[in-house]
Amino acid sequence: MRIAVPNKGRLHDPALQLLERAGLHLDNGADRKLYAGTVDPDVSVLFARAADIPEYVWDGAAAVGITGYDQVRESGHDLTELLDLEFGSCRLVLAAPEDGDISSPADVAGKTVATEFPTVARDYFAERGIDAEVVEVTGATELTPHVDMADAIIDITSTGTTLAVNRLAVVDEVLSSSARLFAHPDHADDEKVQQLVMALRSVLSAEGKRYLMMNAPRDRLDEVRDVIPGLGGPTVMDVAGGEHVAVHVVVDERDVYEVVNELKNVGASGILVTEIERLVE
């Protein structure tokens, strides 16, 4: 099975880090390579431009691909989304000069819009019955309204800083995007593909979670249970030769500070907090 991964850009490092955390360690790294093997001899990684990955997956060059939802929408291919990987979040927005006369999508009717996403742009206007001319550009989209190439733009923004610097205001959100795992519909249910989905999901499930281990008086176990906002309840085990039990539980990281203090108050001791690499639910 080949996994297509962005070869550079803001999605490259997080994608590789996610694969590594899921246990798919790459052989000899990823620098200046088109392919890389993994610890699983049946799984390899193919490096390609994020915009090209939907085509690689659709044509069967890769069984699955990690790329932005915006890139798949722009490709026009009906790929199966398997998992939102929860990084690379951004918005594709319609924007226009702050001091101009465009304040709603309807104001773009009869005007020109520059974008690197012509397919998404045309779909957006068609859905709203707006007749606008879409002009494809390959970079510096935010400059086009200031050099009389376009009246408005559709472009990606994460923080809005670039738009603000170029005196452009957001008129409407076209779509919300993030890095996701996609497969060809014919391969979405393949065993290896589903193993990958489970591995990646287990990493995402572990985000923001901590594993708590402690000893607690047996006669105060109900109080301990009341304190712990656990994932499915705590695991309780006998401790040989004593009146204590061992309690293990998964909690949200944001609750750890308060929970540890409350556990001390109800007699828990030897409290250990550790990170969780993967959580298979």
Side-chain angles (χ1 to χ4, degrees):
M1 178 180 74
R2 280 194 292 267
I3 306 169
V5 172
N7 61 355
K8 59 183 178 180
R10 62 192 181 90
L11 302 184
H12 173 75
D13 287 343
L16 294 186
Q17 291 165 8
L18 183 59
L19 292 175
E20 290 280 345
R21 291 171 60 196
L24 271 178
H25 305 296
L26 273 63
D27 294 337
N28 302 319
D31 293 339
R32 300 181 183 277
K33 297 170 69 175
L34 298 177
Y35 291 94
T38 71
V39 292
D40 186 333
D42 295 324
V43 178
S44 62
V45 174
L46 163 69
F47 297 101
R49 291 176 61 244
D52 293 338
I53 287 176
E55 190 68 39
Y56 277 86
V57 175
W58 186 255
D59 289 344
V64 296
I66 295 175
T67 191
Y69 174 64
D70 54 316
Q71 300 292 353
V72 173
R73 282 286 302 273
E74 179 60 26
S75 75
H77 293 311
D78 189 19
L79 301 179
T80 299
E81 181 181 322
L82 299 173
L83 199 60
D84 188 334
L85 302 178
E86 301 176 12
F87 66 84
S89 297
C90 63
R91 297 183 300 151
L92 199 59
V93 299
L94 172 65
E98 294 174 344
D99 55 357
D101 57 359
I102 298 175
S103 59
S104 72
D107 295 334
V108 181
K111 293 183 168 60
T112 301
V113 179
T115 184
E116 293 185 59
F117 298 85
T119 299
V120 173
R122 293 188 180 101
D123 288 346
Y124 169 80
F125 291 125
E127 289 169 2
R128 288 157 181 77
I130 299 171
D131 182 17
E133 181 183 357
V134 175
V135 175
E136 183 176 3
V137 294
T138 56
T141 308
E142 65 276 0
L143 295 180
T144 57
H146 301 297
V147 293
D148 298 326
M149 284 183 59
D151 301 292
I153 68 171
I154 287 181
D155 201 12
I156 282 182
T157 181
S158 296
T159 64
T161 301
T162 302
L163 293 177
V165 167
N166 288 280
R167 304 187 309 280
L168 297 170
V170 174
V171 175
D172 192 24
E173 180 175 305
V174 175
L175 63 82
S176 178
S177 182
S178 60
R180 304 179 192 184
L181 180 69
F182 294 95
H184 191 286
D186 292 344
H187 299 293
D189 294 325
D190 289 357
E191 182 179 1
K192 275 293 182 182
V193 171
Q194 288 303 310
Q195 288 177 1
L196 176 64
V197 171
M198 182 188 70
L200 297 181
R201 183 179 285 121
S202 71
V203 173
L204 299 175
S205 296
E207 290 284 355
K209 298 289 194 301
R210 292 295 181 266
Y211 193 62
L212 267 63
M213 296 172 279
M214 72 205 77
N215 292 326
R218 189 184 303 275
D219 59 3
R220 304 193 69 177
L221 186 54
D222 286 342
E223 294 176 77
V224 171
R225 285 196 177 102
D226 290 340
V227 168
I228 297 172
L231 185 70
T235 298
V236 180
M237 296 167 285
D238 289 330
V239 175
E243 296 301 320
H244 284 70
V245 292
V247 180
H248 294 196
V249 68
V250 176
V251 301
D252 287 332
E253 181 183 14
R254 63 177 180 271
D255 295 328
V256 168
Y257 179 82
E258 183 177 355
V259 166
V260 168
N261 286 308
E262 291 182 1
L263 288 171
K264 289 290 293 182
N265 290 336
V266 295
S269 60
I271 302 172
L272 178 64
V273 182
T274 65
E275 294 185 354
I276 303 174
E277 291 187 4
R278 295 177 58 181
L279 179 61
V280 180
E281 298 183 274

